[in-house]
Amino acid sequence: MAFPHRPDAPELPDFSMLKRLARDQLIYLLEQLPGKKDLFIEADLMSPLDRIANVSILKQHEVDKLYKVENKPALSSSEQLCFLVRPRIKNMRYIASLVNADKLAGRTRKYKVIFSPQKFYACEMVLEEEGIYGDVSCDEWAFSLLPLDVDLLSMELPEFFRDYFLEGDQCWINTVVQALHLLSTLYGPFPNCYGIGRCAKMAYELWRNLEEEEDGETKGRRPEIGHIFLLDRDVDFVTALCSQVVYEGLVDDTFRIKCGKCHGPLLGTSHMAGLVFNEIRNEHFSNVFGFLSQKARNLQAQYDRRRGMDIKQMKNFVSQELKGLKQEHRLLSLHIGACESIMKKKTKQDFQELIKTEHALLEGFNIRESTSYIEEHIDRQVSPIESLRLMCLLSITENGDARCSLDTHYGPEHLLTFSNLRRAGLLTEQAPGDTLTAVESKVSKLVTDKAAGKITDAFSSLAKRSNFRAISKKLNLIPRVDGEYDLKVPRDMAYVFSGAYVPLSCRIIEQVLERRSWQGLDEVVRLLNCSDFAFTDMTKEDKASSESLRLILVVFLGGCTFSEISALRFLGREKGYRFIFLTTAVTNSARLMEAMSEVKA
Amino acid sequence: MDCYTANWNPLGDSAFYRKYELYSMDWDLKEELRDCLVAAAPYGGPIALLRNPWRKEKAASVRPVLDIYSASGIPLASLLWKSGPVVSLGWSAEEELLCVQEDGAVLVYGLHGDFRRHFSMGNEVLQNRVLDARIFHTEFGSGVAILTGAHRFTLSANVGDLKLRRMPEVPGLQSAPSCWTALCQDRVAHILLAVGPDLYLLDHAACSAVTPPGLAPGVSSFLQMAVSFTYRHLALFTDTGYIWMGTASLKEKLCEFNCNIRAPPKQMVWCSRPRSKERAVVVAWERRLMVVGDASESIQYKQLTIQVLLDRLVLRRLYPLAIQICEYLRLPEVQGVSRILAHWACYKVQQKDVSDEDVARAINQKLGDTPGVSYSDIAARAYGCGRTELAIKLLEYEPRSGEQVPLLLKMKRSKLALSKAIESGDTDLVFTVLLHLKNELNRGDFFMTLRNQPMALSLYRQFCKHQELETLKDLYNQDDNHQELGSFHIRASYAAEERIEGRVAALQTAADAFYKAKNEFAAKATEDQMRLLRLQRRLEDELGGQFLDLSLHDTVTTLILGGHNKRAEQLARDFRIPDKRLWWLKLTALADLEDWEELEKFSKSKKSPIGYLPFVEICMKQHNKYEAKKYASRVGPEQKVKALLLVGDVAQAADVAIEHRNEAELSLVLSHCTGATDGATADKIQRARAQAQKK
């Protein structure tokens, strides 16, 4: 249980430096506006900001009141207003409305806009168009790497996914490049680089150019991290679409972990960290409850030791152990509460059926049952996001379009959502006009044709072969299981999906690291439609220590899930590596779907 | 063997001096220096001579000539002075020659006599003419101080960042001061002037009378004053032949000396040898030179850094020498060799007699991809000389595509600039070029350009979505992108339009667009939405309540919950809601209402297309076991076990599972045997299993 790290596991670099850097820069920026000021913060930046500089630090630097940036007139009476925002046009409009209202009222104040992580020209243009460019001063807070964990760095840019993969907007790539540059400045060059995906390739090349331009900064430094692997989210949508069953992923799916904190009804707002959590986060959910109750029994036993203590021992106990025990007690009851809540929601038959269907889709078995399950899901009109997710999963795994007359039934904006999903490649079309029932009838005909033998074989006779199926076969994503898969003693990364499926993204990373190149993976790369976007780049680096060569930075462009993190942590333990994760944001299936949804403003 | 001291002459009692020639001047001067305006640059820089500066007195045909020599008299440039009368010459710290004209215009020339720029010292100076001018050096750069015909001073402390400052009036000043100088103290420029026996210090705010400490009595006028190069020391020569030497702050006297010569000296300057603590003033008359010294402490600053030295070599076009020095000093390439090569290249592009190809090739051969060399800077210089083609050729060598963009835009090669900006991956740069293009091209051409650049198009679309919705529509129209146009109007139907008529109209436009895009599915769905909107409006009118903007599903549900079953049925038929979906809907709604009677009626209306297990589930969700049991009995054999387990009848579930001889069902029931009462059932299942295995 709670697999410890191997004794020979390499040490992780100290990422807390990133926090200090960000804090110092923010303080510097705040001091550029001397005197008391009110700070307007964009909602999305509140949690990340809280992890960098808490309210008392802000107050120390003469921030008087804090406001959330929202579409309301400002009640601030301060003479100086400071805005901390993402570079978004709607924020510029908001600031312009405040400044222009002041102008109308004949009021003069000082305004400062701090863009994080960078300023975009389009924003300045809007300020100019709104006639306030001369009234505000602009600054950049280049804060793009938030350490959420010892091995997890998040850029906290969930919009990256939609902006790049749907809208084709490359504006955030430069932010990624700057973040990579910062890492190589702080932690030395990366001797071995791999990547797959259009965005990964572009980011990598721009980053390389930047390093060459600023030659000398990293030159001669000892690399601390031996490998870097860049991966586009659209290389593997399937993994991100699956329901998560490792504890941290499940908590994220159920309550949403935001910026390393959980905002659940039962959990209140609590940090997803600490001793208890570290032991269960990567565990399959089925093990967690047992673990927690064992833990509770141990705790009780430790409390019970008080009996029979003399005064001196008792004093010792109270001063040294009690606080720790109480803390552990608090965390334990927190997670037990979370578990109960999850159990209520998830271990119902519904959830088991859902998981079963997902596994069937991944394995390509019982397509008819799965499709009718999904149809029923749609018929019940419970959650459009869930239905969309299942349709996407069906569509990608079977490469058929699960088009249903979902649109008007959920509202017209979902017509746009559909078109978005198709554009991003989350819904694939086999042939125009194919409907779910059409696919279903084809499949069912084959299914009933017993003579055709295995359904998978039968499926291959369909006009267009599913790429996922072929990739799955090539990479052995569905482990052959003899007997029950022991989730307590996992033997491969598939444990994060109850032994049914090895996450595609993680498998690709594993394979490339093993070969130290893409050699022999040509067919997989072709099937992923990434022939032009898979790259390897090795620099001869004699200075790299063997320790650093076992540290791998994985960069997920478009987000990664906790399941993927758990799977790679497992792989690391097996192989003696340690993975460091850099993601544009931590994501899950619901976030993916919501990013594609059109909502009424 | 000569005695070392042979050429030393005694000076007073304790000091000796010698005179020897450091080097001979190479020039061949025809004029007397006294007839010229002369300016020598600091640190052994060039010397400028303006011959015949007083044109007025001579025939108009004799124009003044400006000659520039190196410090050793090697001619660097010679040009005819065609501009106005010059009052004063001086070199800036950057070795630019400043020529102050009588009208207050200052003309700036380079080391090689190349005209750089000019600026004016202001209207007041223009009106009252320049009586006298000084060029002085400050830590910010070089300044110009002017004394006008109205006996007022105007100065600029840094000609690189011209800010004119008119100094306050000196009370009672009727004629020109007998002598004056510019001083720089505490980063502020002052003027020190002498009027009769009085000294005045002018700063930008006030004029104050000052007195040097320990000044000998009997002075009725100051004939000369000199400040040291660092503005630390001041020397005054009075009409009594008395020299006062002290700090420029006038706080301390260093020494005094009476030379008994009452004639005004031609010149008086401070001098000192490097690293020497000896401060001395040299006073010159027509035929006499006097050195007045004092042994006080002084610090020699190393003001001329390597960088400045290199700059000076570059200015003199001594590129190979500069490069050798860089190599000898092992300067980093970026600061050293690269910089010098870049200067050389900038000079090279000005050679008009060499063809574009040859210049470009020569530059590339020399520079290659030396780090720190900016081809775009060199190209910009070429463009500045009017060589656009050469500039484009040079830009091709620039590895950073982003760097090429600004110049390409300047040269009106906007489309090329766009491709380069896209290559750079810098979206801000792309956006800048887009805005240029938008202003430069007509709308059609602009859209056409966008069409060929998907990345730029995406970027621009994103901007339009927020800022210019109409442009977005035009963009789709231009491309005949009916699918996106349809989506655009759908969005408008709920985001932009308020009135129902407007919304329906937007949807109609959307539907038309979808038909054109051959997306019948979307078109039909859109038409359905139009119908739904109209219908919801009618429902609101007739039934009251809120229907608008509900989805079809929620509309039907709301109707059932409101007891309008007929209407609900009608709506479901009109919109062809699939049977299964309708059954789920009704089931959920009726259970929510807890209208068990109606639910039962409904369940019997015809055979359920979704089976009866959902009835059991939903009733249990409402905690109505009694009703649930009714439906459990109607559940088909395949789901019977599940239904019985749902209503908590483990024993019967076990019986059915045993009857079915279904292993999966048996385990399912077994997993439900948790209560104390289920022990018997569990045993029963185990027995059945054992029996099955025997068979």
Side-chain angles (χ1 to χ4, degrees):
Chain A
M1 199 75 202
F3 352 93
H5 285 292
R6 286 160 54 133
D8 63 343
E11 284 277 329
L12 289 170
D14 174 20
F15 292 117
S16 61
M17 199 196 301
L18 294 167
K19 274 194 198 176
R20 284 202 302 276
L21 272 176
R23 183 171 56 225
D24 292 352
Q25 208 203 346
L26 179 66
I27 290 171
Y28 172 79
L29 290 172
L30 288 175
E31 294 199 331
Q32 298 294 96
L33 193 65
K36 276 210 183 306
K37 59 226 153 214
D38 282 358
L39 184 62
F40 288 70
I41 309 169
E42 174 160 8
D44 289 0
L45 274 168
M46 283 184 154
S47 304
L49 174 68
D50 190 48
R51 299 198 62 147
I52 295 300
N54 56 27
V55 177
S56 68
I57 290 182
L58 296 178
K59 298 255 161 178
Q60 270 169 34
H61 298 279
E62 297 187 272
V63 170
D64 193 17
K65 292 198 186 78
L66 291 165
Y67 294 92
K68 193 157 110 185
V69 169
E70 49 194 345
N71 269 332
K72 272 192 215 157
L75 299 167
S76 163
S77 59
S78 176
E79 284 314 300
Q80 306 197 88
L81 306 185
C82 188
F83 300 90
L84 183 59
V85 292
R86 291 262 185 244
R88 290 179 179 134
I89 288 175
K90 73 170 181 13
N91 290 330
M92 298 306 107
R93 290 244 197 80
Y94 168 75
I95 294 167
S97 72
L98 288 190
V99 177
N100 283 325
D102 278 359
K103 276 189 184 173
L104 267 180
R107 184 162 190 188
T108 43
R109 309 200 229 201
K110 269 196 175 171
Y111 312 94
K112 183 183 199 66
V113 185
I114 301 175
F115 293 95
S116 178
Q118 68 184 101
K119 179 168 72 182
F120 287 142
Y121 182 61
C123 290
E124 289 180 296
M125 252 225 25
V126 174
L127 291 177
E128 212 262 319
E129 277 181 7
E130 303 278 342
I132 61 154
Y133 189 65
D135 303 298
V136 301
S137 62
C138 295
D139 258 312
E140 285 183 336
W141 183 31
F143 162 55
S144 57
L145 287 170
L146 175 68
L148 287 179
D149 210 323
V150 288
D151 60 352
L152 174 57
L153 308 174
S154 169
M155 298 184 66
E156 295 294 311
L157 283 177
E159 57 263 64
F160 183 101
F161 180 64
R162 183 180 169 118
D163 284 348
Y164 182 79
F165 291 104
L166 177 63
E167 312 281 5
D169 186 344
Q170 303 180 348
C171 64
W172 298 117
I173 296 185
N174 200 33
T175 317
V176 173
V177 170
Q178 295 298 336
L180 292 175
H181 182 58
L182 176 65
L183 284 179
S184 61
T185 316
L186 293 176
Y187 305 103
F190 299 88
N192 305 299
C193 308
Y194 324 90
I196 184 163
R198 184 188 285 269
C199 182
K201 191 166 186 211
M202 183 168 170
Y204 178 72
E205 280 167 3
L206 290 173
W207 173 42
R208 264 289 102 97
N209 291 346
L210 184 67
E211 301 273 302
E212 272 164 29
E213 259 173 56
E214 299 194 7
D215 207 19
E217 270 187 41
T218 56
K219 223 179 207 172
R221 281 210 50 173
R222 261 176 90 93
E224 283 186 49
I225 303 165
H227 310 262
I228 181 170
F229 196 114
L230 294 101
L231 182 119
D232 281 13
R233 184 69 270 174
D234 70 350
V235 167
D236 173 18
F237 278 140
V238 171
T239 305
L241 284 171
C242 291
S243 298
Q244 304 191 68
V245 286
V246 281
Y247 185 61
E248 193 166 16
L250 191 52
V251 171
D252 190 30
D253 274 3
T254 320
F255 307 113
R256 301 244 166 162
I257 298 175
K258 196 170 155 197
C259 213
K261 276 184 177 179
C262 190
H263 302 260
L266 265 169
L267 293 129
T269 302
S270 51
H271 264 290
M272 288 289 106
L275 259 181
V276 177
F277 186 61
N278 277 340
E279 286 173 282
I280 52 175
R281 62 192 315 178
N282 298 313
E283 286 290 331
H284 190 273
F285 184 66
S286 60
N287 303 336
V288 172
F289 213 71
F291 173 81
L292 289 176
S293 43
Q294 181 59 47
K295 199 87 189 162
R297 276 196 293 279
N298 293 349
L299 197 62
Q300 190 59 50
Q302 275 181 294
Y303 272 122
D304 289 346
R305 287 204 345 258
R306 282 173 304 173
R307 282 178 213 141
M309 278 184 185
D310 61 26
I311 294 277
K312 201 176 164 202
Q313 284 169 322
M314 186 63 112
K315 198 178 155 199
N316 230 4
F317 176 81
V318 171
S319 66
Q320 286 173 8
E321 285 174 61
L322 193 60
K323 201 177 163 211
L325 288 177
K326 276 195 169 156
Q327 167 78 354
E328 203 174 333
H329 184 210
R330 201 183 61 80
L331 288 171
L332 201 57
S333 44
L334 197 85
H335 288 293
I336 290 175
C339 276
E340 277 175 349
S341 180
I342 291 171
M343 296 273 252
K344 247 187 216 148
K345 282 195 182 181
K346 301 282 182 181
T347 48
K348 275 195 192 145
Q349 215 161 7
D350 300 358
F351 189 60
Q352 283 170 358
E353 294 267 326
L354 181 72
I355 296 285
K356 214 176 91 188
T357 307
E358 284 180 24
H359 289 176
L361 287 175
L362 291 167
E363 287 168 41
F365 276 81
N366 297 334
I367 303 303
R368 198 165 75 116
E369 267 181 45
S370 302
T371 39
S372 62
Y373 176 87
I374 295 169
E375 238 189 355
E376 187 188 306
H377 202 277
I378 296 164
D379 284 340
R380 297 176 70 165
Q381 301 263 309
V382 184
S383 149
I385 289 289
E386 264 302 272
S387 300
L388 280 177
R389 173 176 81 84
L390 289 168
M391 282 164 64
C392 290
L393 198 57
L394 172 70
S395 143
I396 297 179
T397 52
E398 295 304 325
N399 201 35
D401 190 353
R403 194 197 299 205
C404 310
S405 53
L406 184 73
D407 315 285
T408 40
H409 299 234
Y410 282 118
E413 60 276 16
H414 279 284
L415 199 57
L416 306 183
T417 306
F418 260 73
S419 130
N420 290 345
L421 288 170
R422 236 172 258 129
R423 187 136 44 105
L426 275 154
L427 268 183
T428 51
E429 272 171 274
Q430 189 166 30
D434 258 2
T435 60
L436 177 65
T437 36
V439 175
E440 191 197 355
S441 70
K442 264 184 217 161
V443 176
S444 59
K445 227 166 85 192
L446 288 158
V447 170
T448 46
D449 188 1
K450 298 257 176 189
K454 276 188 177 173
I455 299 165
T456 37
D457 293 346
F459 219 88
S460 64
S461 67
L462 274 172
K464 197 173 167 188
R465 208 186 152 108
S466 151
N467 275 0
F468 175 77
R469 196 94 299 130
I471 294 163
S472 164
K473 224 174 194 171
K474 274 254 175 275
L475 289 176
N476 214 2
L477 298 183
I478 313 296
R480 281 187 196 288
V481 180
D482 310 313
E484 198 124 312
Y485 190 100
D486 188 353
L487 291 167
K488 282 211 170 79
V489 194
R491 47 169 195 226
D492 54 20
M493 292 189 281
Y495 93 93
V496 300
F497 291 113
S498 309
Y501 161 68
V502 178
L504 169 59
S505 52
C506 305
R507 178 70 101 200
I508 294 174
I509 293 166
E510 177 198 33
Q511 290 294 308
V512 172
L513 284 177
E514 218 161 72
R515 293 154 213 256
R516 291 278 179 108
S517 76
W518 291 94
Q519 221 171 25
L521 295 170
D522 311 346
E523 181 64 8
V524 174
V525 170
R526 192 186 61 77
L527 289 167
L528 288 167
N529 300 316
C530 279
S531 299
D532 295 332
F533 309 114
F535 58 91
T536 320
D537 192 358
M538 316 272 217
T539 44
K540 201 162 155 41
E541 188 54 75
D542 309 325
K543 286 197 206 103
S545 63
S546 72
E547 173 129 328
S548 72
L549 285 174
R550 286 183 290 129
L551 273 178
I552 302 134
L553 175 71
V554 184
V555 183
F556 283 91
L557 299 164
C560 77
T561 63
F562 281 118
S563 296
E564 286 167 315
I565 293 175
S566 292
L568 287 175
R569 280 179 182 150
F570 171 85
L571 182 70
R573 275 186 302 269
E574 290 289 292
K575 307 261 180 185
Y577 306 142
R578 273 194 93 170
F579 285 94
I580 300 155
F581 306 92
L582 194 176
T583 179
T584 49
V586 175
T587 193
N588 62 24
S589 57
R591 289 195 192 102
L592 230 54
M593 290 293 114
E594 281 160 8
M596 289 293 139
S597 299
E598 292 286 334
V599 279
K600 290 182 187 177
Chain B
M1 191 182 144
D2 280 342
C3 179
Y4 281 122
T5 54
N7 52 356
W8 289 86
N9 301 310
L11 179 68
D13 295 336
S14 57
F16 292 83
Y17 79 93
R18 64 172 172 167
K19 203 176 112 186
Y20 63 98
E21 195 172 53
L22 285 171
Y23 52 84
S24 61
M25 296 297 278
D26 278 349
W27 59 21
D28 181 20
L29 283 186
K30 294 194 177 63
E31 277 79 15
E32 289 277 337
L33 276 176
R34 77 174 92 180
D35 297 331
C36 304
L37 273 181
V38 184
Y43 307 111
I47 300 167
L49 289 178
L50 188 67
R51 283 186 270 149
N52 316 317
W54 301 283
R55 198 171 56 173
K56 273 185 265 176
E57 294 164 22
K58 308 244 171 170
S61 60
V62 187
R63 285 197 153 144
V65 179
L66 178 66
D67 290 315
I68 300 175
Y69 296 95
S70 77
S72 58
I74 298 167
L76 296 173
S78 177
L79 53 135
L80 265 186
W81 188 260
K82 294 176 186 168
S83 202
V86 176
V87 177
S88 180
L89 292 181
W91 291 93
S92 76
E94 292 82 31
E95 296 197 317
E96 284 181 326
L97 180 64
L98 308 175
C99 310
V100 185
Q101 293 194 151
E102 199 185 21
D103 59 0
V106 181
L107 281 68
V108 185
Y109 287 85
L111 192 55
H112 299 276
D114 44 320
F115 176 73
R116 296 271 167 88
R117 63 202 149 90
H118 72 93
F119 57 86
S120 160
M121 291 301 289
N123 264 336
E124 204 261 338
V125 177
L126 176 65
Q127 275 165 21
N128 295 314
R129 318 306 282 178
V130 177
L131 210 59
D132 196 4
R134 301 281 152 84
I135 281 93
F136 59 99
H137 303 283
T138 68
E139 51 209 286
F140 314 113
S142 302
V144 176
I146 304 267
L147 171 64
T148 70
H151 312 306
R152 293 287 297 268
F153 289 92
T154 294
L155 66 79
S156 162
N158 179 9
V159 294
D161 175 22
L162 195 68
K163 282 190 190 105
L164 294 178
R165 186 151 283 156
R166 198 173 169 220
M167 306 304 261
E169 208 174 339
V170 182
L173 185 62
Q174 295 299 328
S175 58
S178 57
C179 56
W180 64 279
T181 186
L183 273 177
C184 195
Q185 282 173 338
D186 300 331
R187 321 176 111 228
V188 183
H190 306 272
I191 300 281
L192 182 69
L193 69 152
V195 183
D198 303 318
L199 283 175
Y200 294 100
L201 190 65
L202 283 179
D203 61 25
H204 58 271
C207 169
S208 36
V210 286
T211 320
L215 185 76
V219 174
S220 56
S221 151
F222 295 92
L223 300 180
Q224 265 288 4
M225 60 173 70
V227 276
S228 67
F229 192 70
T230 53
Y231 299 108
R232 289 161 64 92
H233 301 104
L234 175 71
L236 300 165
F237 189 94
T238 71
D239 58 343
T240 53
Y242 165 84
I243 301 172
W244 181 92
M245 288 162 75
T247 57
S249 58
L250 292 168
K251 284 193 176 127
E252 202 186 324
K253 182 168 84 173
L254 296 174
C255 69
E256 56 186 358
F257 180 74
N258 203 323
C259 67
N260 291 317
I261 302 168
R262 301 199 168 206
K266 270 214 85 150
Q267 221 184 340
M268 178 165 79
V269 288
W270 282 87
C271 71
S272 67
R273 282 183 303 152
R275 284 182 202 84
S276 145
K277 287 191 171 181
E278 313 231 341
R279 288 256 152 219
V281 171
V282 179
V283 195
W285 288 267
E286 204 66 26
R287 312 202 66 83
R288 197 196 294 262
L289 201 70
M290 185 185 284
V291 183
V292 181
D294 152 63
S296 75
E297 56 150 349
S298 84
I299 306 150
Q300 180 70 29
Y301 292 107
K302 208 174 177 182
Q303 292 198 330
L304 204 62
T305 63
I306 287 293
Q307 292 302 333
V308 177
L309 173 70
L310 289 173
D311 281 345
R312 304 220 145 171
L313 290 173
V314 163
L315 265 177
R316 286 159 182 74
R317 295 176 191 152
L318 299 171
Y319 304 108
L321 179 60
I323 287 176
Q324 273 175 14
I325 289 177
C326 294
E327 282 168 352
Y328 178 75
L329 293 173
R330 301 213 177 115
L331 288 183
E333 273 192 327
V334 178
Q335 291 168 29
V337 176
S338 305
R339 210 165 56 97
I340 292 172
L341 283 173
H343 276 291
W344 166 78
C346 286
Y347 169 63
K348 188 85 187 165
V349 297
Q350 294 168 33
Q351 296 180 340
K352 305 225 166 173
D353 47 333
V354 188
S355 75
D356 291 346
E357 281 79 19
D358 291 348
V359 173
R361 200 177 318 117
I363 288 177
N364 184 239
Q365 262 170 13
K366 270 255 162 56
L367 273 61
D369 47 5
T370 320
V373 167
S374 162
Y375 277 95
S376 45
D377 286 353
I378 302 166
R381 186 64 69 94
Y383 177 66
C385 304
R387 299 180 77 166
T388 310
E389 286 310 311
L390 174 59
I392 290 173
K393 282 195 167 58
L394 287 168
L395 274 184
E396 277 164 21
Y397 296 120
E398 171 65 61
R400 295 161 297 172
S401 28
E403 295 291 312
Q404 307 178 14
V405 173
L407 187 58
L408 285 171
L409 281 181
K410 230 190 201 169
M411 301 192 298
K412 303 243 179 301
R413 308 284 163 125
S414 315
K415 287 184 189 174
L416 187 56
L418 184 60
S419 323
K420 293 293 178 187
I422 290 169
E423 228 173 81
S424 79
D426 182 343
T427 43
D428 273 5
L429 203 57
V430 177
F431 204 81
T432 320
V433 181
L434 280 180
L435 293 183
H436 250 266
L437 281 170
K438 195 180 159 196
N439 294 329
E440 198 176 280
L441 304 174
N442 67 42
R443 214 169 160 80
D445 288 348
F446 176 55
F447 284 177
M448 210 49 172
T449 313
L450 282 179
R451 199 183 200 172
N452 298 325
Q453 298 283 8
M455 183 267 185
L457 181 61
S458 306
L459 190 73
Y460 193 61
R461 266 194 205 141
Q462 282 281 81
F463 176 72
C464 289
K465 260 182 202 168
H466 292 102
Q467 237 7 41
E468 288 177 24
L469 273 177
E470 281 305 301
T471 313
L472 187 65
K473 196 171 74 186
D474 296 346
L475 267 172
Y476 294 140
N477 261 322
Q478 163 92 11
D479 289 354
D480 288 329
N481 191 338
H482 298 295
Q483 176 65 33
E484 286 301 331
L485 266 176
S487 299
F488 176 87
H489 289 292
I490 293 264
R491 206 170 284 118
S493 80
Y494 61 81
E497 289 288 345
E498 295 266 328
R499 292 168 315 115
I500 194 98
E501 295 79 12
R503 297 179 60 177
V504 171
L507 287 171
Q508 184 62 59
T509 325
D512 294 346
F514 285 136
Y515 276 121
K516 278 191 197 146
K518 300 213 160 48
N519 187 344
E520 253 179 65
F521 168 74
K524 285 256 155 49
T526 309
E527 282 171 350
D528 278 352
Q529 182 60 29
M530 286 161 61
R531 277 202 298 146
L532 184 64
L533 263 183
R534 288 205 195 96
L535 204 119
Q536 286 172 331
R537 179 58 171 291
R538 221 174 38 236
L539 288 173
E540 282 191 2
D541 288 347
E542 290 171 18
L543 306 174
Q546 177 84 44
F547 284 96
L548 272 176
D549 283 331
L550 293 182
S551 67
L552 175 63
H553 189 269
D554 291 344
T555 311
V556 178
T557 307
T558 311
L559 283 172
I560 294 173
L561 290 177
H564 308 287
N565 280 320
K566 281 257 166 60
R567 281 276 173 104
E569 301 260 345
Q570 185 61 40
L571 202 63
R573 265 199 305 280
D574 287 352
F575 284 87
R576 291 186 302 279
I577 296 183
D579 234 13
K580 282 185 181 176
R581 200 171 301 172
L582 183 63
W583 273 69
W584 271 108
L585 189 161
K586 271 188 123 172
L587 163 62
T588 320
L590 290 172
D592 277 350
L593 276 178
E594 303 197 24
D595 190 345
W596 307 115
E597 205 176 310
E598 188 64 30
L599 183 64
E600 193 166 353
K601 249 203 292 187
F602 168 59
S603 77
K604 286 173 179 162
S605 61
K606 67 173 193 178
K607 186 173 179 293
S608 164
I610 55 174
Y612 293 92
L613 187 63
F615 283 78
V616 181
E617 271 175 43
I618 300 282
C619 289
M620 285 308 290
K621 266 193 189 135
Q622 298 287 346
H623 310 289
N624 193 333
K625 205 175 195 174
Y626 174 77
E627 290 293 329
K629 277 191 171 166
K630 280 190 198 165
Y631 300 106
S633 60
R634 292 163 70 184
V635 171
E638 272 180 41
Q639 295 176 312
K640 195 84 175 184
V641 174
K642 273 188 200 165
L644 290 167
L645 287 176
L646 269 175
V647 298
D649 196 341
V650 183
Q652 213 190 325
D655 290 344
V656 176
I658 291 166
E659 194 186 315
H660 286 174
R661 291 184 192 159
N662 182 322
E663 181 51 39
E665 282 180 3
L666 285 171
S667 344
L668 185 65
V669 179
L670 205 55
S671 71
H672 277 75
C673 291
T674 47
T677 49
D678 299 330
T681 316
D683 290 346
K684 200 167 166 186
I685 293 172
Q686 298 296 13
R687 277 201 304 279
R689 266 191 172 164
Q691 247 175 359
Q693 265 165 5
K694 266 184 211 161
K695 284 177 187 174

